[in-house]
Amino acid sequence: MRSVPDDIAISLARSLGAYIGATPAHELPGPLRRFKGFRQQTLATRHRADLLARLEHDALRRRLVDWLDDGKPSISKRDKEILRLACERPKGWRSELERHSRHKKAPPKGAEEKVVELEAQLERERAKVRKVREELKGVKESARAAAASERLVHAELMTDLQDMKKRVTAAERARTEAQAAAEKAELALERDRRKNRRAGEKAASDRDDARAELKEVRRTVRTLKTRIREVETEAQVARARRSSRTKTTPAPPGKRSRLRAPKGLFDDAPESLAAWLQTEGVRLLVDGYNVSKAEGAYGELDLESQRERVVDGVARLARKKNVQATVVFDGSEVPPRTSRKKSGPVTVEYSSAAETADDHLVALLEKWPTVPVIVVTSDRELQERAAAQGATIATSSQFMVLIR
């Protein structure tokens, strides 16, 4: 996109950041997927030009318009209007973007009122044209529908007439044939009566034999069905046992092993996380505020309530899966000298003033034994640092599905 005022560029980057944050990673277009997990402030400052360049793609602009129309984007009314102009690009859209800029020069006295009046007049004329077009369209559709209905009625009447003629002809032919058949049947009936008497005697004997055979077959079928159900039950139990055993990636001695997703599942599926938590000796390490501020989590609550909700959810999951769990929060948001506490099966730790919560979490990974560890965070940078320590990564959204 060519040069636009700085405040307009910031607005567009902010809106794109909101779209990226609100859209699941697998539904994002390829060019935007790499920005998933970035903070909006980072996108608006460091990646603004790259994001604005993506707006030259027609497919992305259409997706953004659908998002504005169908979703509930958490952006301001002004940001929505600016993003819609940049995506739909109606005639004079660049001038409209300039008009939305807060850095523009003041218009001449009286010019704005004149523009508003002209725009209102133009909109009224457009409304008249739209109304006339809709009325004309309705008349045309009514005429077409009436003509189609008449043609359909005529065709149905002709079909009924032809069908009636065929039925009359068929009835006459059937009556003649029926008379001949009745005479022939009378003769055949007597012969059949004699044959039937002989056949009845034989059928009675065959029926008795067939009933005996049928009873035997039914007993055999019941036996086979019972055995089939037993085999199916044994197979289901065997499959359940195999699927509960999560495989790990072989690692050199002294290094932590990364867990693999079960066959047929992706790493970011909630079912994969549930399977990982059944791994023997696995530990759970949670980026507290990243989970509480995830979409659909507890971001609308105060920080203390967010911490309580996250710790309670982790505790329930830890008891259910019988795993050791640790939650790390940023220590700058809690009273001084708060560093570590125990809440049931969960250890809660806070970063010190000399470190960030991310640094504290990575430090725990470095000093823990090389058992499998699942790190829960959607922060891209922290994911990379934790993965370098051999940790298995689960996203905050993936984790929220299990603790809701």
Side-chain angles (χ1 to χ4, degrees), residues 354-366:
E355 63 179 353
T356 66
D358 291 358
D359 294 337
H360 189 85
L361 190 147
V362 173
L364 290 176
L365 279 173
E366 292 174 346

Side-chain angles (χ1 to χ4, degrees), residues 39-57:
R39 297 182 177 90
Q40 287 195 16
Q41 184 64 27
T42 302
L43 294 174
T45 55
R46 299 183 183 177
H47 304 286
R48 186 196 312 166
D50 199 4
L51 286 173
L52 294 183
R54 298 293 187 270
L55 285 176
E56 296 304 318
H57 296 280

